[in-house]
Amino acid sequence: MSNVAIRNLQIQLGGNKVIESLNLDVKAGEFVVLLGPSGCGKSTLLHSIAGLIDTSAGQIEIGGKDMTWADPKDRGIALVFQSYALYPTMNVEANMSFGLRINGTPKAEIARRVSRASDMLQLGPLLKRKPANLSGGQRQRVAIGRAIVREADVMLFDEPLSNLDAKLRTELRRELKQLHKQLGATMIYVTHDQVEAMTLAQRMAVMKGGVVQQFDTPDVIYNTPANLFVATFLGSPGMNLFKGELEQQGAKTIFTNEHLSVDVTGYPFKQPLTGKHACVLGVRPEDIDVGHSDGVDVSAAVRASVSLIEAMGAHRVVWLDFHGTQVAGIVQDQQQIETEKEISFSIRTNRISLFDGASEQRL
Ligand SMILES: Nc1ncnc2c1ncn2[C@@H]1O[C@H](COP(=O)(O)OP(=O)(O)O)[C@@H](O)[C@H]1O
Ligand SMILES: [Mg+2]
């Protein structure tokens, strides 16, 4: 097992600064996910760890050694791409063992590793097949198998499940998580899919424009997003946002705007506020109490009209028209709710996020 430490990394591609002064510490044996929208520099970062892209400045350390300029084959890493990149003329077994044969690994050792990997990935019955005769999921399993047989300390994945249909994606996702437990390797996994990130990661780095916005456990990032970008990138439907002002009223801190007044005195502010403060209040749909007040930690209820109800099976997403703003609430109970009728809702104030109106950083 190896740690991966990235220090002040800068990468320029075709005159663009794609990554600027990035720092990231991945512990040995950890499963870290890089999450962000398309074009934010995830693949660039991953490929620089693999040694496929030169760095412009900074340092990449793998297993305690400076690997910034090391040859890809000397870094102790294995990389799995989105496109499976299998050799079409070779069968599964030959595809998996290719790298080992090239570097002269003894035959018995190759057989041991291929058999272990094919057991883990249920590829045993497919070893003699060519890639053309495999499904997408099976091909990606072979590509993962090819990485496993290298017995690398660090495994890098670049959106490996993106080409698969939804059902297969969730299956293979669970398998990858199991695989991580079995192998104990350090894994760095790139995706733009928040569900994949949340379910796989021990810690995840949310990226935007080549900059890590927040690096923490999925739980901490979901519940206490560091800024508005992270807050809105995670969650479906997204976090509801209300613009307004914070002000002190005696011993209380109150969030107000034209239509809302919310007592936020109990909010764990990072720094004490003085005077009036432009602010955005964020609350997730599951923290909007629709239809009734359960009496615990809720702000005074306000009225809205129901614009849309989405049945999700286990719950309903209820969209509320609140003075022209659409507010999403998640309803778990069986209460009768009808569109175009008025209903009350309230905000669970112990579950809110507050952001600075100008910097968009968490208060
Ligand atoms: N070879 C290149 N030359 C110039 N710009 C590039 C090159 N490769 C990628 N980029 C740019 O770098 C940014 C990050 O790309 P990439 O790392 O592929 O993003 P992601 O994997 O997050 O979708 C994008 O804006 C992309 O246009
Ligand atoms: Mg990419």
Side-chain angles (χ1 to χ4, degrees):
M1 284 197 291
S2 291
N3 73 310
V4 176
I6 294 161
R7 308 253 181 267
N8 301 315
L9 184 72
Q10 184 183 311
I11 295 174
Q12 270 176 296
L13 294 173
N16 287 344
K17 265 192 192 155
V18 177
I19 305 264
E20 209 174 337
S21 199
L22 187 141
N23 289 283
L24 194 72
D25 263 294
V26 180
K27 295 179 206 150
E30 197 175 16
F31 199 133
V32 163
V33 174
L34 309 177
L35 172 70
S38 177
C40 74
K42 305 180 295 294
S43 295
T44 304
L45 176 56
L46 203 69
H47 293 172
S48 73
I49 298 170
L52 305 178
I53 295 179
D54 282 348
T55 62
S56 311
Q59 210 187 35
I60 298 170
E61 193 185 289
I62 301 173
K65 291 195 199 94
D66 183 357
M67 293 284 187
T68 316
W69 297 104
D71 206 68
K73 68 171 168 36
D74 300 328
R75 295 188 180 210
I77 52 120
L79 179 58
V80 178
F81 295 94
Q82 174 179 352
S83 61
Y84 321 118
L86 299 178
Y87 301 103
T89 57
M90 294 182 198
N91 67 21
V92 168
E93 189 174 19
N95 261 290
M96 290 216 294
S97 60
F98 183 73
L100 299 178
R101 283 184 279 128
I102 290 291
N103 70 22
T105 308
K107 267 196 175 150
E109 177 64 12
I110 294 179
R112 181 189 73 78
R113 293 195 194 183
V114 169
S115 127
R116 173 166 172 264
S118 62
D119 281 351
M120 282 182 181
L121 294 160
Q122 300 132 49
L123 288 171
L126 305 175
L127 285 174
K128 299 297 172 201
R129 283 210 203 159
K130 298 260 173 75
N133 302 321
L134 298 174
S135 69
Q138 290 167 336
R139 281 179 209 171
Q140 193 52 290
R141 276 200 185 84
V142 177
I144 294 168
R146 194 172 46 185
I148 291 175
V149 298
R150 302 192 53 181
E151 300 192 343
D153 288 333
V154 180
M155 295 183 73
L156 308 175
F157 298 88
D158 194 355
E159 313 229 12
L161 308 183
S162 304
N163 288 343
L164 306 176
D165 65 46
K167 186 164 178 286
L168 214 56
R169 214 155 55 217
T170 55
E171 273 173 30
L172 217 49
R173 195 173 79 206
R174 280 199 301 274
E175 282 183 30
L176 274 174
K177 190 92 178 169
Q178 285 304 117
L179 216 54
H180 175 246
K181 272 196 205 144
Q182 288 173 32
L183 295 170
T186 309
M187 294 190 171
I188 306 179
Y189 185 105
V190 161
T191 183
H192 65 272
D193 181 318
Q194 51 163 316
V195 177
E196 229 167 86
M198 296 279 295
T199 50
L200 283 171
Q202 286 173 322
R203 287 192 297 165
M204 61 192 203
V206 183
M207 292 177 65
K208 179 196 171 195
V211 177
V212 175
Q213 307 289 310
Q214 191 170 10
F215 182 38
D216 216 315
T217 63
D219 239 27
V220 167
I221 292 182
Y222 187 80
N223 291 308
T224 54
N227 58 40
L228 263 184
F229 172 80
V230 177
T232 51
F233 193 72
L234 287 174
S236 174
M239 190 180 262
N240 298 295
L241 302 176
F242 302 95
K243 278 189 184 163
E245 272 184 344
L246 289 173
E247 56 182 34
Q248 301 300 132
Q249 293 180 6
K252 288 187 168 177
T253 308
I254 309 290
F255 171 92
T256 54
N257 68 18
E258 215 184 323
H259 309 292
L260 269 180
S261 174
V262 183
D263 185 344
V264 298
T265 310
Y267 184 82
F269 286 98
K270 287 186 186 162
Q271 269 156 11
L273 297 174
T274 49
K276 284 197 175 187
H277 200 101
C279 157
V280 177
L281 183 153
V283 57
R284 297 220 175 265
E286 60 270 34
D287 300 322
I288 297 271
D289 188 47
V290 180
H292 47 69
S293 294
D294 54 15
V296 191
D297 254 323
V298 292
S299 65
V302 289
R303 308 286 294 171
S305 90
V306 178
S307 50
L308 185 73
I309 303 169
E310 294 175 310
M312 307 298 283
H315 65 265
R316 287 174 287 172
V317 178
V318 177
W319 290 90
L320 305 164
D321 183 337
F322 182 60
H323 304 281
T325 305
Q326 291 297 315
V327 175
I330 286 179
V331 174
Q332 305 271 10
D333 61 23
Q334 301 302 317
Q335 65 174 302
Q336 183 152 1
I337 299 174
E338 288 172 54
T339 48
E340 280 162 45
K341 291 250 168 90
E342 277 228 330
I343 198 164
S344 66
F345 78 89
S346 52
I347 293 167
R348 292 196 176 94
T349 50
N350 61 338
R351 303 278 310 150
I352 58 169
S353 290
L354 295 172
F355 304 98
D356 183 281
S359 73
E360 303 192 344
Q361 298 298 308
R362 184 179 194 84
L363 293 171

